Amino acid sequence: MSISRREFLKGLLATSATTMISSSLLVAGKTEAAQETWKVSGSHWGAFRAKIERGTVTTIKALEGDAHPTDMLKGIQGIIYSPSRIRYPMVRYEWYMNRLQANPATRGDNRFIRVTWDQALDLFYEELERVQTQYGPWALHAGQTGWRQTGQMHSCNNHMQRAVSMHGHYIKKIGDYSTGAGQTILPYILGSTEVYAQGTSWPLILEHSKLIVLWANDPAKNLQVGWNCETHESYGYLDQLKQKVAAGETRVISIDPVKTKTQLMLDCEQQYIHPHTDVAMMLAIAYTLYTEELHDQSFLDTYTLGFERFVPYLLGEGEDKTAKTPAWAEAICGVPAARIQELARTMASQRTQLLFGWSIQRQQHGEQPYWMGAVLAAMLGQIGLPGGGVSYAHHYSSIGVPASGAATPGAFPLNPDQGSKREHDKEDFGQYSKTIPVARWVDAILEPGKKIDYNGSTVTLPELKMMVFSGNNPWHHHQDRNRMKQAFQKLETVVAIDFTWTATCRFADIVLPACTQYERNDLDAYGSYSKRGVLAMHKLVDPLYQSRSDFDIMTDLCRRFDRHKEYTRGLDEMEWVEKLYNDCRAANKDTHPMPDFTTFWQQGLVRFEGNTDFVRQGSFREDPEINSLGTPSGFIEIFSRQIARYGYDDCQGHPMWMEKNERSHGGPMSDKHPLWLQSCHPDQRLHSQMCDSEAYRATYSVQGREPIYISPEDAKRYSIQDGDLVRVFNDRGQLLAGARVSDRFPPGVVRIYEGAWYGPMGAEVGSLDTYGDPNTLTQDLGSSKLAQATVANTCQVSIEPFRSKAPRVTSFGGPTEIEA
Ligand SMILES: Nc1nc2c(c(=O)[nH]1)N[C@H]1C(S)=C(S)[C@@H](COP(=O)(O)OP(=O)(O)OC[C@H]3O[C@@H](n4cnc5c(=O)[nH]c(N)nc54)[C@H](O)[C@@H]3O)O[C@H]1N2
Ligand SMILES: Nc1nc2c(c(=O)[nH]1)N[C@H]1C(S)=C(S)[C@@H](COP(=O)(O)OP(=O)(O)OC[C@H]3O[C@@H](n4cnc5c(=O)[nH]c(N)nc54)[C@H](O)[C@@H]3O)O[C@H]1N2
Ligand SMILES: [Mo]
């Protein structure tokens, strides 16, 4: 349903009376005669106006008020008009012909046949029925989630899960790829996940912090996107910080093997460190604090438990008989002992804010750096003070921007209103666990029935036969492509719902074309955590080709088992958008008055006033008894009796330095594969989203391939010139990438951004990836028995110039269509 011009004008009249409207937001229809309109919408990349000429989006520009729009807005048109768009419902050819007798080795050959929507949805429904009947709910996994496009009504994870739940039960996941290790360990230590919690407000940090440590943290890169529509207000604070650094008022140190975008932007200090050795460095800082009596004993006495059980380990009186001295750490982390001491003394002498990024916990034993970070902050005694203590989230979705305190719109419901169709199989997961740690699903396919430790419990991996993916791209997000290839050969049915032909579609059996967010009406929070307002997401153009909204697709699926009325609750798209708006309006009635829906829809954005400053753990500091933490003891747990009781060798009662199974700079595997591959989050994409945006990709690709960043020293060592094609490989896989030689990178460290589209030369295991997906090389291992989280960053590789004839990139442009 689109808003007609008449309704638009009606809304225009209604708006003039209310004061909440900023008139500049009005989408004037003057040029409509020339078939040109401007519409307001928003995305992970921010709010914008789109110009539509003769039914085509021709211009996207940031909405007024976004003072720091991201360059990625330039990539949006290319998403809508990508040659990779899924045009029709498609079924894998071999599967279509032979179903369960299909030759498993053909999976991934990208040969598909076009079917009608009815055929595709009938097949989807039949397979749900078959798998539930023949096996049980444990054989179906529809619980993987991901970075679906923005919009609260059309949140496609919710649509798929609600619809499939109405049919029957299935395996779900726990945790996520972002912060799997962090969100599991921190509740034991600080009483909450911390990673998704509001952090100390930037104005307080700017006012009080004298030293800010960016530990494995690149906010200037990562704050370009938000979970909801991003406002980019954090960049205003980063600008102020830059001025303070220049004026010598605040010292900022970036502890990172790489010179980050933030470090360059702030022009602040960089402390180089060998990858994955941060815990050693932190221990040596702690050692210095303790032995020089610079630690805050009264804070430790009042607010923490277990310090005395940690000290012997620090001093070398424990089992390992190794004192964690700066000299000991220097040999591991490469940071000079004197520098470690200087840092310890500086931290203790002034207000110090530790700001951790997340990449550092996406490694083997990724729990340890976060735990040790909390211990360090506790020893400094500044937790709960403005501008002091530790944060694990200031690089994410504008956390730290003072929030309005308003409610923002809820989402289309995830759960069914009543039980599933198959009431009888409700709890019948047999011997299997019904939730599994998010990154362990490939293990489940390969080793069904295996029991693994997880966070104090035992998980029995289910025997998966069918998987349904929507709003996520596992053939980007999961590790070790060749292992995935082997696993997928065991699956009977894979359904992928997406708008673009990702590698997940290539390896699926039934592929359903959703439309993009730009082809449907929706609304969103403006500012994920800052809750700066409510944004209208006007449909820009009609769904392209045969694509349909997820809502529409899932309604039609539910029709097949007669639950469609319950699914939609009798409301259509626009009625849902209006309902979600009105529910939000009612919730904000007394504090943040909002105009009626029509007014809101015309004006595009309702802004919320109010800036509430906040100090993380402030109330706990004020009164640790009344405002106790969510830990077992209510205090900060430097030693966790609960974790110690689990008896895990790879995550014990207090933080420890543990060697990794792969590590650069003399660590394990570095003799065979000398380079550390970090697969950080892309500067010019959101994961795999926007990689299919052709013109935009051309602004960063190298000979049509994903760049690999490499130091001038290593480039010379391996006879690589900037712009060369290179083969990157290890024992798990091989890929082609384009070399970018950059002095931001130290010897021994290379980077390929995650989300580069997988483009195998063939379906067979081990084939060369023609574009440069780093997960062709990463390992699929749990961080520890505690979190079982991804260790994407624990990865050693080799590199060589690629001098043969370059194969064509197979990642983009959709399937090979076989005529029926
Ligand atoms: N090596 C390595 N791997 C990593 C990481 C890393 O650092 N290194 N990071 C991990 C992290 S933190 C994350 S969060 C994950 C991200 O993993 P994902 O969330 O899986 O990544 P996206 O590329 O955002 O995938 C979203 C997919 O949903 C589709 N989609 C978007 N909107 C819609 C919609 O409305 N309807 C439908 N049907 N589909 C839609 C998009 O086209 C896209 O294919 O990756 C993880 N993988
Ligand atoms: N532009 C953009 N922004 C994003 C995303 C995106 O895809 N694109 N994704 C969003 C999502 S879902 C997430 S989870 C977050 C991810 O946020 P993070 O995981 O924090 O981001 P990364 O870019 O992977 O890594 C940040 C820094 O960690 C450093 N680092 C890695 N390993 C180590 C180590 O062992 N020691 C030290 N000291 N430093 C290390 C890297 O060099 C890098 O500078 O970003 C969010 N923001
Ligand atoms: Mo993430």
Side-chain angles (χ1 to χ4, degrees):
M1 184 210 259
S2 64
I3 294 287
S4 72
R5 180 162 166 74
R6 198 170 54 81
E7 280 171 293
F8 170 75
L9 290 173
K10 220 165 59 186
L12 203 67
L13 292 175
T15 56
S16 52
T18 124
T19 53
M20 299 189 65
I21 288 69
S22 99
S23 58
S24 66
L25 287 175
L26 293 171
V27 276
K30 277 211 185 89
T31 46
E32 222 171 47
Q35 291 190 308
E36 177 188 314
T37 51
W38 283 89
K39 291 189 178 179
V40 172
S41 189
S43 65
H44 291 299
W45 300 282
F48 59 80
R49 289 174 185 283
K51 184 173 163 187
I52 295 115
E53 292 174 282
R54 282 170 292 278
T56 303
V57 180
T58 55
T59 310
I60 301 259
K61 61 174 194 186
L63 196 67
E64 314 73 75
D66 183 344
H68 300 86
T70 164
D71 187 61
M72 282 185 267
L73 286 179
K74 294 181 191 146
I76 287 180
Q77 276 157 267
I79 293 179
I80 306 172
Y81 302 111
S82 170
S84 299
R85 279 291 297 263
I86 310 173
R87 293 153 194 246
Y88 320 104
M90 303 293 281
V91 174
R92 193 162 73 81
Y93 181 69
E94 172 73 10
W95 189 89
Y96 184 83
M97 301 303 284
N98 299 316
R99 221 53 76 78
L100 289 177
Q101 276 69 51
N103 172 8
T106 60
R107 193 182 280 288
D109 68 8
N110 212 25
R111 286 155 33 102
F112 280 77
I113 170 167
R114 190 169 148 180
V115 296
T116 65
W117 266 110
D118 272 343
Q119 279 175 300
L121 288 172
D122 284 347
L123 282 172
F124 185 1
Y125 171 56
E126 281 164 23
E127 285 301 285
L128 286 175
E129 274 290 304
R130 182 184 67 77
V131 169
Q132 296 276 6
T133 319
Q134 195 174 332
Y135 307 107
W138 44 264
L140 172 67
H141 192 340
Q144 205 73 356
T145 59
W147 274 72
R148 89 289 179 268
Q149 301 168 110
T150 55
Q152 291 295 87
M153 154 55 190
H154 284 288
S155 181
C156 66
N157 296 146
N158 288 25
H159 283 281
M160 187 272 277
Q161 294 202 352
R162 178 173 167 89
V164 177
S165 299
M166 282 183 171
H167 177 268
H169 292 84
Y170 56 87
I171 298 292
K172 294 183 180 168
K173 59 98 188 186
I174 180 159
D176 57 42
Y177 286 77
S178 309
T179 64
Q183 65 175 266
T184 310
I185 185 77
L186 289 176
Y188 292 95
I189 315 309
L190 292 170
S192 92
T193 71
E194 294 298 306
V195 289
Y196 301 129
Q198 181 58 297
T200 299
S201 309
W202 275 113
L204 294 176
I205 294 179
L206 288 166
E207 187 185 339
H208 297 278
S209 303
K210 289 287 162 255
L211 173 64
I212 296 175
V213 182
L214 292 167
W215 210 309
N217 199 349
D218 197 356
K221 173 169 71 62
N222 289 346
L223 288 167
Q224 295 176 88
V225 305
W227 177 250
N228 293 108
C229 182
E230 183 50 54
T231 62
H232 301 117
E233 294 155 280
S234 338
Y235 288 86
Y237 299 112
L238 289 178
D239 279 347
Q240 290 179 44
L241 185 57
K242 183 183 166 72
Q243 286 164 22
K244 284 185 165 274
V245 170
E249 291 167 31
T250 311
R251 188 175 166 194
V252 180
I253 306 176
S254 169
I255 302 180
D256 201 300
V258 176
K259 291 188 186 123
T260 65
K261 190 172 183 181
T262 313
Q263 189 261 327
L264 295 174
M265 181 226 152
L266 296 176
D267 197 15
C268 67
E269 284 170 60
Q270 191 228 2
Q271 177 55 58
Y272 166 80
I273 184 168
H274 290 335
H276 282 31
T277 63
D278 303 78
V279 174
M281 177 171 172
M282 284 186 240
L283 283 166
I285 295 175
Y287 182 93
T288 308
L289 293 175
Y290 186 76
T291 53
E292 297 187 5
E293 293 181 26
L294 298 172
H295 63 297
D296 187 336
Q297 190 60 50
S298 88
F299 182 88
L300 291 169
D301 292 342
T302 317
Y303 297 100
T304 76
L305 276 187
F307 184 62
E308 68 291 346
R309 299 191 64 176
F310 169 69
V311 170
Y313 173 76
L314 200 59
L315 301 181
E317 293 158 4
E319 264 172 49
D320 68 349
K321 304 262 185 300
T322 307
K324 309 303 175 299
T325 63
W328 165 83
E330 177 178 342
I332 298 170
C333 68
V335 182
R339 170 72 162 165
I340 295 176
Q341 284 163 331
E342 184 263 325
L343 268 178
R345 292 167 195 150
T346 313
M347 285 178 178
S349 70
Q350 55 194 336
R351 191 64 60 84
T352 298
Q353 178 75 58
L354 305 177
L355 301 177
F356 282 90
W358 291 345
S359 211
I360 194 178
Q361 49 87 64
R362 245 175 264 120
Q363 62 169 257
Q364 198 186 14
H365 315 128
E367 298 84 359
Q368 303 303 314
Y370 271 25
W371 195 349
M372 192 54 216
V375 172
L376 203 55
M379 289 177 76
L380 292 170
Q382 300 177 10
I383 291 175
L385 292 177
V390 60
S391 153
Y392 301 91
H394 275 79
H395 63 292
Y396 181 68
S397 288
S398 294
I399 281 177
V401 171
S404 69
T408 47
F412 183 82
L414 173 76
N415 295 314
D417 301 345
Q418 300 147 42
S420 72
K421 175 172 180 264
R422 306 181 145 269
E423 287 299 338
H424 62 278
D425 65 22
K426 205 175 226 160
E427 297 301 329
D428 189 11
F429 283 77
Q431 74 204 78
Y432 301 120
S433 301
K434 53 181 166 185
T435 49
I436 57 176
V438 66
R440 300 275 61 84
W441 58 279
V442 174
D443 292 1
I445 304 171
L446 288 169
E447 295 181 274
K450 185 178 172 185
K451 292 187 188 307
I452 59 167
D453 288 308
Y454 167 68
N455 202 16
S457 67
T458 302
V459 169
T460 307
L461 298 176
E463 190 174 354
L464 301 176
K465 302 286 184 191
M466 175 171 179
M467 297 205 63
V468 183
F469 299 107
S470 179
N472 56 69
N473 181 5
W475 283 82
H476 129 63
H477 74 224
H478 196 69
Q479 285 56 65
D480 197 345
R481 291 287 165 266
N482 287 311
R483 190 166 186 261
M484 284 179 76
K485 273 189 181 170
Q486 288 164 351
F488 269 59
Q489 293 191 2
K490 289 183 72 185
L491 289 173
E492 292 178 359
T493 312
V494 180
V495 181
I497 306 144
D498 207 311
F499 54 81
T500 187
W501 194 270
T502 62
T504 299
C505 300
R506 174 189 296 258
F507 284 89
D509 300 303
I510 303 170
V511 179
L512 305 177
C515 63
T516 68
Q517 61 170 84
Y518 315 103
E519 298 153 0
R520 59 199 192 194
N521 290 300
D522 213 327
L523 85 176
D524 200 18
Y526 187 56
S528 315
Y529 285 79
S530 60
K531 303 190 187 303
R532 202 52 77 224
V534 181
L535 181 79
M537 294 170 64
H538 295 151
K539 174 170 156 182
L540 308 182
V541 290
D542 287 331
L544 262 61
Y545 313 107
Q546 287 188 7
S547 69
R548 300 160 71 179
S549 74
D550 296 272
F551 174 63
D552 197 18
I553 296 170
M554 292 302 155
T555 304
D556 226 5
L557 177 70
C558 290
R559 206 185 305 280
R560 285 165 165 76
F561 45 92
D562 204 26
R563 298 279 293 265
H564 56 288
K565 292 207 183 78
E566 182 193 330
Y567 179 79
T568 63
R569 292 187 189 160
L571 304 182
D572 67 15
E573 175 191 76
M574 216 48 210
E575 287 165 342
W576 266 106
V577 174
E578 185 164 353
K579 175 189 154 40
L580 295 176
Y581 179 84
N582 284 332
D583 290 352
C584 174
R585 187 180 181 214
N588 282 326
K589 178 166 56 71
D590 299 330
T591 54
H592 296 83
M594 292 161 66
D596 63 54
F597 177 74
T598 315
T599 308
F600 154 71
W601 193 253
Q602 302 309 330
Q603 100 190 35
L605 177 64
V606 172
R607 285 180 194 274
F608 295 142
E609 297 307 322
N611 286 316
T612 323
D613 271 341
F614 174 78
V615 179
R616 185 97 208 122
Q617 277 107 17
S619 61
F620 168 66
R621 189 174 185 110
E622 260 165 42
D623 192 331
E625 301 291 338
I626 293 177
N627 306 313
S628 61
L629 298 180
T631 56
S633 64
F635 296 101
I636 298 168
E637 299 210 356
I638 293 173
F639 185 94
S640 166
R641 278 184 292 182
Q642 198 166 337
I643 293 178
R645 268 200 300 272
Y646 298 156
Y648 299 153
D649 52 349
D650 51 7
C651 187
Q652 302 183 23
H654 58 76
M656 288 179 176
W657 159 246
M658 291 179 204
E659 186 53 282
K660 318 296 159 206
N661 69 348
E662 296 188 13
R663 190 167 67 76
S664 57
H665 301 90
M669 275 308 266
S670 62
D671 45 350
K672 185 167 188 197
H673 298 299
L675 302 171
W676 176 54
L677 173 68
Q678 53 163 224
S679 42
C680 290
H681 286 234
D683 193 25
Q684 287 176 288
R685 278 195 301 266
L686 171 58
H687 313 298
S688 73
Q689 296 187 56
M690 208 173 264
C691 195
D692 53 346
S693 186
E694 298 281 306
Y696 196 61
R697 188 174 74 248
T699 64
Y700 61 81
S701 56
V702 178
Q703 294 197 40
R705 325 282 152 158
E706 183 69 12
I708 179 168
Y709 297 89
I710 185 167
S711 68
E713 296 84 350
D714 285 328
K716 200 165 162 228
R717 176 172 313 142
Y718 300 106
S719 309
I720 292 163
Q721 307 272 318
D722 187 75
D724 277 355
L725 269 194
V726 292
R727 189 176 80 100
V728 190
F729 59 97
N730 60 17
D731 300 354
R732 292 178 287 269
Q734 51 170 340
L735 58 78
L736 287 187
R740 274 280 164 261
V741 180
S742 162
D743 60 10
R744 287 173 56 188
F745 291 80
V749 173
V750 293
R751 173 184 293 190
I752 305 179
Y753 285 120
E754 55 107 290
W757 277 31
Y758 183 55
M761 268 181 76
E764 71 282 3
V765 172
S767 71
L768 182 72
D769 169 19
T770 58
Y771 180 71
D773 169 8
N775 281 322
T776 308
L777 304 166
T778 53
Q779 61 174 325
D780 187 7
L781 186 79
S783 57
S784 81
K785 297 186 175 84
L786 191 86
Q788 294 288 1
T790 178
V791 304
N793 281 314
T794 307
C795 180
Q796 290 297 114
V797 300
S798 294
I799 195 168
E800 63 186 23
F802 186 77
R803 306 247 188 257
S804 322
K805 187 171 176 288
R808 151 190 101 78
V809 172
T810 66
S811 314
F812 309 102
T816 308
E817 196 175 326
I818 307 293
E819 297 295 330

